[in-house]
Amino acid sequence: MTQTDENLTGVAALLNPKTDYYQVFADVDGEDLEWWQKAREFMEWARPSLNESWEKAEYNIPAVEEAARRGLVTDGIEIDGQPGISIRANRLIQMELARTDASTATAHIVQSGLAMRSISECGSEDQKAKYLGPMSRMEIRGGFALTEPDHGSDSIGLETSARREGDEWVINGEKKWIGHGSVGHITVVWARDEEDGEVKGFIVDQDQEGYSAETITGKASLRGIPQAHIKLNDVRVSDDRRLPNSHTFRDTARVLTGTRIAVAWVALGMAIDCYEKALDYAQLRVQFGRPLVKNQIIQQRLADMLQDVTSMALYCRRLLELEEAGELNEKQAALAKVHNTRGARKISADARDMFGGVGILLENDVARHHADIESLHTYEGTDTMQSLIVGKSITGVSAYRS
């Protein structure tokens, strides 16, 4: 057997060739393949508890702690004491987590892609040394507080304020839809400096006086990870809690670009699972005396789903090449986020429909994916806003600012 054949065998164990129709990921090998396998093994370990946590809207903290013990919570950031993970391995991990559960994948993005990445990109060396190691081990859970009750798509217009008083900053405002905001230890809060009007980041302890957070209830999507409505009332933080390399909203946006890439990969993972589950069910389910797959309409729908999965995979592969080369920009990330969440939305709806009545049962997973993709379609920038970012880049005209 040639080395290429051996490699294809390894990837095929993780991704069905009937799914990776164009062998988009056939060249994944070495440590990247090992990390992909570790993510698969972790999700197989976590799977028995996922639907129960989702149904009860409970955060499965032991599961995310186990992910950290396996070295999966780093976002590829270089951290003392943690093994290095390449950009490619990190994106494959995100895809694989979401292939089983979007709530787990979102917890991973919140912790490593948002909170840890903010400290890594904008923090001081002392802040990195203090927080990144414990956060990668989930000893410290972190939130990322940008979105506000009145500023979602236009988060650049955030109203939370930070006022300098001697060696302290006084923060006032509200944040909403903040992952880990009520069940963590620290929150990276983005606030506007009253002196110069620029957006800056601050590390705030969640047990600090003036910080109050209420878990948002009644969610029909991403029920396996809590989001919070946070109120900040004269919260005082010392200047060493300010992220010194966050000077303007552009620094915040740089962190968000990475997570928009992650959402494209997460959407791909969810779409793959829905497609594969639909294919398996159609082969086993017998109606009117024959398997569903013998019906022309079912074969056409499966082929349509495969077209979308393949397109999404090609988007991710090209994103990966650009990211590895250091050439990826926010407009390219926006296009991929729109394309892949739309594709996953369509595929999950088709899969749920093909399952018929049992498609609404959590045990078949597709209903959970179908509900969860609605959150991905919205967070990290809505479908409309990402489209307008792309629209501005190709027309030179802004349609979302006066």
Side-chain angles (χ1 to χ4, degrees):
M1 179 180 290
T2 66
Q3 179 62 43
T4 300
D5 290 336
E6 290 177 357
N7 180 50
L8 287 173
T9 301
V11 172
L14 294 167
L15 195 59
N16 191 322
K18 292 180 180 178
T19 301
D20 192 11
Y21 212 68
Y22 281 3
Q23 296 187 10
V24 176
F25 300 112
D27 62 345
V28 176
D29 60 5
E31 291 185 357
D32 295 337
L33 186 62
E34 292 175 9
W35 280 112
W36 188 358
Q37 180 65 48
K38 287 178 182 179
R40 169 66 60 85
E41 291 170 353
F42 163 67
M43 292 313 299
E44 288 176 351
W45 174 88
R47 177 180 289 279
S49 62
L50 295 176
N51 281 330
E52 182 179 0
S53 296
W54 194 95
E55 186 172 16
K56 293 181 177 180
E58 293 178 349
Y59 189 28
N60 193 339
I61 292 177
V64 294
E65 289 177 341
E66 178 63 23
R69 278 191 288 271
R70 297 181 186 218
L72 298 173
V73 187
T74 67
D75 201 54
I77 299 168
E78 292 185 12
I79 302 171
D80 289 343
Q82 289 285 17
I85 297 179
S86 70
I87 293 172
R88 179 171 304 201
N90 186 55
R91 297 309 181 195
L92 290 168
I93 288 169
Q94 291 166 341
M95 179 185 75
E96 190 60 40
L97 298 184
R99 187 174 171 182
T100 303
D101 179 48
S103 291
T104 303
T106 299
H108 180 277
I109 291 171
V110 168
Q111 179 76 0
S112 61
L114 288 172
M116 290 172 61
R117 181 62 64 175
S118 294
I119 295 171
S120 174
E121 294 280 343
C122 301
S124 66
E125 293 304 313
D126 286 345
Q127 288 168 343
K128 294 175 189 178
K130 179 178 180 179
Y131 290 106
L132 292 180
M135 291 180 78
S136 72
R137 298 187 294 273
M138 275 290 181
E139 295 166 3
I140 296 177
R141 291 188 296 277
F144 175 94
L146 175 63
T147 301
E148 298 180 355
D150 294 326
H151 295 282
S153 295
D154 67 335
S155 57
I156 192 172
L158 65 87
E159 296 180 44
T160 298
S161 65
R163 182 179 72 255
R164 182 73 179 262
E165 289 188 0
D167 293 331
E168 291 184 323
W169 293 82
V170 183
I171 304 174
N172 283 282
E174 292 187 41
K175 300 293 184 179
K176 195 170 185 181
W177 299 112
I178 310 306
H180 282 171
S182 56
V183 295
H185 302 94
I186 64 170
T187 300
V188 176
V189 175
W190 299 93
R192 191 173 303 280
D193 185 345
E194 290 185 359
E195 182 176 351
D196 62 14
E198 298 291 354
V199 174
K200 295 167 182 171
F202 302 85
I203 301 172
V204 178
D205 289 332
Q206 292 186 11
D207 60 0
Q208 198 159 331
E209 184 177 357
Y211 181 104
S212 62
E214 181 179 355
T215 298
I216 298 169
T217 59
K219 293 194 306 174
S221 179
L222 287 185
R223 292 171 57 82
I225 178 174
Q227 281 92 23
H229 184 171
I230 298 170
K231 294 182 180 179
L232 302 136
N233 184 20
D234 287 338
V235 173
R236 291 182 172 270
V237 296
S238 56
D239 189 53
D240 63 4
R241 290 297 192 93
R242 179 178 61 87
L243 299 178
N245 296 312
S246 63
H247 305 289
T248 72
F249 189 79
R250 286 188 174 275
D251 299 309
T252 320
R254 190 170 67 249
V255 177
L256 293 175
T257 295
T259 53
R260 283 169 185 157
I261 300 167
V263 173
W265 283 91
V266 166
L268 173 60
M270 297 169 72
I272 286 172
D273 195 55
C274 287
Y275 162 71
E276 292 182 340
K277 292 279 171 58
L279 176 59
D280 289 344
Y281 183 77
Q283 291 172 323
L284 297 173
R285 177 64 167 165
V286 175
Q287 288 283 276
F288 300 103
R290 63 179 188 173
L292 284 180
V293 287
K294 288 195 174 183
N295 293 289
Q296 290 182 0
I297 188 62
I298 294 297
Q299 291 199 14
Q300 182 182 19
R301 292 177 76 175
L302 289 168
D304 287 347
M305 294 165 79
L306 178 60
Q307 289 176 40
D308 287 333
V309 166
T310 302
S311 176
M312 294 165 67
L314 288 168
Y315 263 68
C316 283
R317 181 56 189 253
R318 181 55 182 155
L319 273 184
L320 178 62
E321 292 169 351
L322 291 168
E323 189 178 12
E324 289 176 330
E327 298 174 356
L328 185 65
N329 62 49
E330 63 177 359
K331 290 86 172 177
Q332 293 164 326
L335 183 65
K337 197 268 185 184
V338 170
H339 179 271
N340 280 17
T341 55
R342 284 184 185 178
R345 206 180 190 198
K346 182 175 180 293
I347 290 168
S348 67
D350 279 343
R352 202 234 59 79
D353 184 64
M354 286 174 63
F355 267 80
V358 298
I360 68 170
L361 296 176
L362 289 178
E363 66 188 49
N364 292 314
D365 296 328
V366 293
R368 174 164 48 80
H369 285 314
H370 185 44
D372 287 345
I373 191 60
E374 290 303 301
S375 291
L376 271 74
H377 192 64
T378 302
Y379 72 31
E380 301 305 327
T382 64
D383 180 280
T384 300
M385 286 307 304
Q386 299 306 315
S387 297
L388 292 179
I389 289 171
V390 176
K392 179 182 176 182
S393 73
I394 59 179
T395 66
V397 179
S398 173
Y400 53 90
R401 292 182 188 172
S402 58

